[in-house]
Structures are given as structure tokens and as C-alpha cells.
């Protein structure tokens, strides 16, 4: 079983952005699309938590 993608820090967020670049350079596959979707959800969740902390 694969673990969910979770972003806890700005460093994690930067690594996620790098992984998106790597994935975009790869051929399209169902696994690639699943990983991109999971990363996007994790990045959005992190951004929302960060915005809430700023308020």
C-alpha cells in the first residue's frame, strides 16, 4: 500500500514542485496522473493551512 502525500513544510512544498517538474517530463501514464493529482491535493492543503495560519 502506498502512503498518501503530505506536505508539512516549505521544504516539502519545494520538493513537491520539483517532483511535478520531473513527472511532467515523463510520458503520460495512469500512475503519473494519479501521482500528479495526489501532489496537487497535498500542495493545495498545505497552501490552505498556511493561509489560515496567516489570518
Amino acid at each position: 500500500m502506498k502512503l498518501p502525500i503530505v506536505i508539512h513544510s516549505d521544504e516539502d512544498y519545494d520538493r513537491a514542485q520539483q517532483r511535478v517538474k520531473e513527472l511532467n517530463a515523463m510520458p503520460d501514464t495512469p500512475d503519473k496522473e494519479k501521482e500528479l493529482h495526489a501532489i496537487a491535493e497535498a500542495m493545495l492543503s498545505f497552501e490552505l493551512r498556511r493561509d489560515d495560519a496567516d489570518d
Side-chain angles (χ1 to χ4, degrees), residues 1 7-8 12 14 25 33 35 45 51-52:
M1 181 173 133
I7 297 174
H8 295 286
D12 292 341
D14 292 342
E33 293 304 316
E35 187 173 350
S45 178
D51 289 348
D52 284 347

Side-chain angles (χ1 to χ4, degrees), residues 23-29 32:
L23 287 169
N24 283 329
M26 297 169 59
D28 290 340
T29 65
K32 172 186 166 180

Side-chain angles (χ1 to χ4, degrees), residues 6-52:
V6 181
I7 297 174
H8 295 286
S9 67
D10 289 331
E11 288 176 355
D12 292 341
Y13 190 87
D14 292 342
R15 281 194 293 272
Q17 287 179 316
Q18 181 61 38
R19 181 63 180 152
V20 167
K21 289 178 188 176
E22 293 169 2
L23 287 169
N24 283 329
M26 297 169 59
D28 290 340
T29 65
D31 287 340
K32 172 186 166 180
E33 293 304 316
K34 288 178 186 175
E35 187 173 350
L36 283 170
H37 183 75
I39 292 170
E41 286 184 353
M43 291 174 82
L44 178 59
S45 178
F46 176 75
E47 290 167 2
L48 292 172
R49 285 192 315 269
R50 185 172 52 190
D51 289 348
D52 284 347

